[in-house]
Amino acid sequence: MKRALARAQGLFARGAMVGLFASVATTNLACGGSTPAPVKPPPTPLHLAPACDLAPAAGLEWIVAVTPRAIADVPDLIPTIARVVPEERFASFAAAHGGIDLRRADDLCVARYRRGGAEKSSTLSIVHGPIDPARLEKAFGERSSNNVERTITSQDPLVVRLAGSLDGERRELGLFGRELVVSSEGSPALFHAAEAFAFGKLKRAQPALRGAALGRAAEVLGNAPVRVFFPGPFEGDTGKGLGGLLRASTAVATSASFGGAPSKINVRLVLVGAWGSDASSAAERLAAAIHVVSESGLGQLFGLHRPVTAPSVKATDDALILDATIDGMALARGLHDALDAEVTEIMGR
């Protein structure tokens, strides 16, 4: 009996000591006796897609929105693409630009802008897709003719801004983590606007394809792997185009998408304007003007005089819409013959 009592007293004493230590530990924590681990701030929120959401509207001459991966993944289009841009040209571009294969990009946006008081234009290029920031930074430094300025604008994710000079033109390059690169040639303001859109700083501004000039054109055009936009006004000789309809248009847009084997291409042309009660007659004028274009030397060069599906035109109060299906290989041959020198220059940048 005495042994049992002694054992109970021992257990009670040990329990009391454990409780005492726990109480002291809790008190120390409450009083700041132990330093808590620092809380890591959340990553900087970035808006990076679609790529053209980073392109400003002011001063825009034209803008091209492409989803290259969606095009390259269509086997029937591989010969057509190769006719316009051969494999070796893609390879040389990747070698000079940090390993970027434009065919594997998820989203590509290229925009041309008027440069105030100068004959030259400025260009903004945005590639959304897997990138290697270290290789891109190295390639930019090797191509720059002066010392490259390097600025870190975000640590998480890492956003780096590079500035240098290539071929006598000022260039900016922005690397947004491992998923997007922004390049501007000419005006630094373009790059800073794109960067501000990415960081969500331009609350009152709209990007090019969401603004008043092109927003309606983008809506009517719909989604397509290739889209091209031209904001108005169209004046002078340009305004005389398409039977004078361009003069009354506030925006023009066109798109292309795969229409079936072997290389059918569905195309859509949209003219935005206040057509109102004149919409039906304007649609007839557009159909006549397109016929003239397709039978011209340029139209025959692109194979437009022999469409797979003849053009059809419909009209609303604010848009003229033309749809047709053309031979993609004939178009590719025409583009190669007409634009090969320009494509070579663009890919060499």
Side-chain angles (χ1 to χ4, degrees):
M1 182 69 179
K2 292 182 179 180
R3 289 182 180 179
L5 181 60
R7 182 176 298 176
Q9 290 175 339
L11 290 174
F12 177 82
R14 285 196 293 271
M17 292 297 294
V18 170
L20 178 61
F21 283 127
S23 176
V24 171
T26 303
T27 303
N28 286 340
L29 287 174
C31 296
S34 177
T35 304
V39 178
K40 185 180 179 180
T44 302
L46 296 175
H47 179 76
L48 305 180
C52 282
D53 269 6
L54 307 188
L60 182 69
E61 291 183 346
W62 52 257
I63 185 168
V64 178
V66 184
T67 53
R69 186 186 294 271
I71 300 170
D73 285 345
V74 179
D76 288 301
L77 289 179
I78 293 176
T80 306
I81 297 170
R83 185 66 181 177
V84 181
V85 185
E87 172 70 28
E88 58 269 20
R89 198 163 292 167
F90 282 113
S92 62
F93 180 89
H97 295 82
I100 291 181
D101 186 343
L102 292 177
R103 294 167 296 183
R104 308 317 303 167
D106 297 316
D107 202 6
L108 170 66
C109 183
V110 181
R112 182 69 59 87
Y113 293 83
R114 295 181 293 276
R115 196 185 305 185
E119 294 182 358
K120 292 185 177 181
S121 298
S122 298
T123 304
L124 181 69
S125 303
I126 305 163
V127 180
H128 183 257
I131 64 170
D132 186 332
R135 286 185 65 184
L136 277 164
E137 186 168 345
K138 182 175 182 292
F140 186 83
E142 291 174 346
R143 298 174 67 219
S144 181
S145 58
N146 60 353
N147 293 330
V148 175
E149 302 171 17
R150 186 178 191 271
T151 306
I152 295 177
T153 55
S154 169
Q155 289 286 356
D156 184 17
L158 182 63
V159 178
V160 178
R161 179 197 305 155
L162 307 172
S165 179
L166 278 70
D167 302 324
E169 286 283 352
R170 180 177 174 85
R171 300 282 184 95
E172 270 80 23
L173 192 74
L175 308 173
F176 293 76
R178 302 184 65 86
E179 60 177 307
L180 184 127
V181 55
V182 176
S183 173
S184 70
E185 173 188 349
S187 172
L190 287 179
F191 178 86
H192 294 304
E195 187 180 55
F197 273 127
F199 280 97
K201 295 180 179 179
L202 297 181
K203 301 297 185 182
R204 298 183 179 180
Q206 289 286 345
L209 297 187
R210 299 183 186 274
L214 296 178
R216 178 56 177 160
E219 179 183 355
V220 177
L221 201 61
N223 292 325
V226 179
R227 298 180 297 159
V228 184
F229 300 84
F230 302 87
F234 304 99
E235 302 170 336
D237 291 338
T238 302
K240 299 176 183 178
L242 296 180
L245 290 172
L246 290 184
R247 187 180 296 108
S249 301
T250 57
V252 175
T254 186
S255 67
S257 60
F258 181 59
S263 61
K264 296 176 184 177
I265 304 295
N266 295 329
V267 296
R268 169 169 283 193
L269 175 68
V270 173
L271 275 63
V272 176
W275 307 113
S277 59
D278 296 327
S280 295
S281 60
E284 294 177 359
R285 288 170 60 190
L286 177 59
I290 290 298
H291 177 73
V292 172
V293 171
S294 64
E295 294 297 329
S296 67
L298 187 63
Q300 293 187 34
L301 176 66
F302 295 149
L304 303 182
H305 63 307
R306 294 178 179 174
V308 177
T309 303
S312 63
V313 182
K314 59 184 178 181
T316 67
D317 288 346
D318 65 350
L320 305 179
I321 307 164
L322 180 145
D323 289 299
T325 302
I326 62 176
D327 183 344
M329 184 54 75
L331 175 64
R333 286 193 294 264
L335 289 172
H336 172 80
D337 294 341
L339 303 176
D340 185 60
E342 185 172 346
V343 170
T344 301
E345 180 184 354
I346 292 173
M347 296 291 287
R349 289 178 178 175

